[in-house]
Amino acid sequence: MATWNINSVVRRTDQLLDWLARTQPDVVALQELKATTENFPVQAVKDAGYRSLVVGERSWNGVALLSRHELVPVIKALPGDASDKQARYLEAAINGMLFACLYLPNGNPQPGPKFDYKLRWFERLKKRTAELFATGQPVVLLGDWNVVPTDADIYKPDSWRKDALLQPESRQAFADVLAQGWTDAIKAVYPDKVPFTFWDYFRKHWERDAGLRIDHILVSSALRVLDAGVDRDERGAEHPSDHAPVWAEIELAEKRRKKPAAKPAVKRAAAKKSRPAPKPSAPSDAPLAG
DNA sequence: ATGCCGAGCATCGCTCGA
């Protein structure tokens, strides 16, 4: 499975199709479609082997879930404020698991009404994720969280200190979600030095690997993370999104008791940890996504 | 303090993103 803030699905349909064909994730969460539901490339995605569930919006926002398997809609908006019409949240059931695709408000400039909206949205999200975790069912939260969780998740924290993504309130809200019991998939695989997921278009930040980690995959306690990573090559492509896809391989936690033998996927994850993070120009890790 | 880049559109100048 994977999550990708694609920054216009119309502008980058070809890149999306190439990436799907190459990496073949089972489930994909997309954010910042910048397209209405009608303008989403449903047929091209279908031809690539994926069903799609889209909550679009003209010009801004927009989220979608793609799946190779049957995809049952659960909710198409974050509960808690019927007046909030921004297309930022979507849940679907796939293969007995629940997938939530979220695009958390950016919140800049800060302070101000946009930051207030971000924090209110986060409070609504915390309620929903607490409900989902409490079911004990396998649940995955994927998306652009617009939060740099700690100073270790950004190239140079002091240069972004006033940004909404680094504010103590934003970080506390993210920590509150994690404290419900979720596992941060990237952090689980890279406990020491995490890979970045976003590099803005300015000042050759990509070329300098001056990035941020703001796209996150959180899994519930019914699931176990086998491996995870970032498809950095997509950020180095022609006319790229400013975000790279983040992927994770998971399995049901109960499987561990049934199959105690070591799995190759686990070995691969262990080997990956011992390597230094690749440079932007280096080929990305094998982009297999469960 | 600002623009830097890139995308959408009520398009050639603004808003938004992060």
Side-chain angles (χ1 to χ4, degrees):
Chain A
M1 93 188 73
T3 181
W4 193 6
N5 177 321
I6 197 167
N7 186 13
S8 175
V9 72
V10 174
R11 177 74 175 83
R12 265 171 277 284
T13 299
D14 288 348
Q15 187 181 0
L16 173 63
L17 296 176
D18 287 348
W19 174 75
L20 287 174
R22 205 165 53 249
T23 65
Q24 304 200 352
D26 289 325
V27 177
V28 179
L30 297 175
Q31 304 86 33
E32 222 176 334
L33 304 178
K34 291 186 173 176
T36 59
T37 303
E38 295 71 30
N39 287 341
F40 187 89
V42 172
Q43 188 58 49
V45 165
K46 186 178 182 183
D47 292 343
Y50 290 84
R51 307 160 199 233
S52 49
L53 185 61
V54 182
V55 177
E57 181 179 337
R58 210 171 75 101
S59 308
W60 312 115
N61 308 319
V63 289
L65 280 165
L66 313 184
S67 173
R68 304 172 70 83
H69 308 289
E70 189 188 3
L71 184 153
V72 180
V74 176
I75 53 176
K76 294 188 171 185
L78 184 62
D81 183 356
S83 69
D84 182 2
K85 301 301 183 191
Q86 298 192 23
R88 295 182 175 277
Y89 192 81
L90 176 60
E91 287 176 11
I94 302 164
N95 276 351
M97 301 174 45
L98 189 101
F99 292 83
C101 172
L102 63 101
Y103 177 41
L104 214 132
N106 170 290
N108 280 307
Q110 174 282 136
K114 291 189 174 183
F115 190 61
D116 296 341
Y117 172 59
K118 176 179 194 151
L119 296 182
R120 287 200 309 275
W121 204 93
F122 230 140
E123 286 302 312
R124 291 161 58 200
L125 179 66
K126 279 162 59 176
K127 284 184 185 165
R128 182 60 182 168
T129 59
E131 290 172 2
L132 293 175
F133 194 90
T135 65
Q137 295 298 307
V139 183
V140 187
L141 315 174
L142 310 98
D144 176 357
W145 294 68
N146 270 319
V147 177
V148 175
T150 71
D151 281 357
D153 298 296
I154 180 169
Y155 69 103
K156 191 177 169 188
D158 285 341
S159 61
W160 290 69
R161 198 57 78 188
K162 291 182 179 176
D163 194 281
L165 279 59
L166 277 74
Q167 291 315 297
E169 298 95 326
S170 307
R171 288 178 163 181
Q172 186 59 53
F174 185 73
D176 290 346
V177 174
L178 282 177
Q180 294 168 358
W182 304 89
T183 296
D184 178 337
I186 288 288
K187 191 71 182 168
V189 175
Y190 294 89
D192 301 322
K193 190 177 189 318
V194 292
F196 299 136
T197 69
F198 166 86
W199 300 259
D200 72 25
Y201 294 120
F202 305 151
R203 306 183 211 89
K204 298 195 179 302
H205 274 169
W206 166 247
E207 288 80 354
R208 294 163 38 209
D209 194 22
L212 289 64
R213 189 172 76 98
I214 56 177
D215 302 273
H216 308 296
I217 299 177
L218 271 51
V219 309
S220 70
S221 54
L223 294 165
R224 194 162 64 100
V225 176
L226 297 175
D227 201 0
V230 177
D231 283 348
R232 298 175 59 108
D233 283 359
E234 302 307 318
R235 182 60 181 83
E238 289 269 312
H239 308 296
S241 166
D242 37 8
H243 297 249
V246 179
W247 58 269
E249 291 180 11
I250 56 169
E251 68 173 7
L252 291 173
E254 63 186 23
K255 274 192 179 176
R256 189 178 196 176
R257 293 193 294 273
K258 292 176 185 171
K259 297 182 181 178
K263 291 183 173 62
V266 175
K267 288 180 185 169
R268 206 167 60 238
K272 188 169 292 177
K273 271 184 269 184
S274 65
R275 281 196 249 135
K279 296 283 190 229
S281 57
S284 74
D285 298 314
L288 289 171

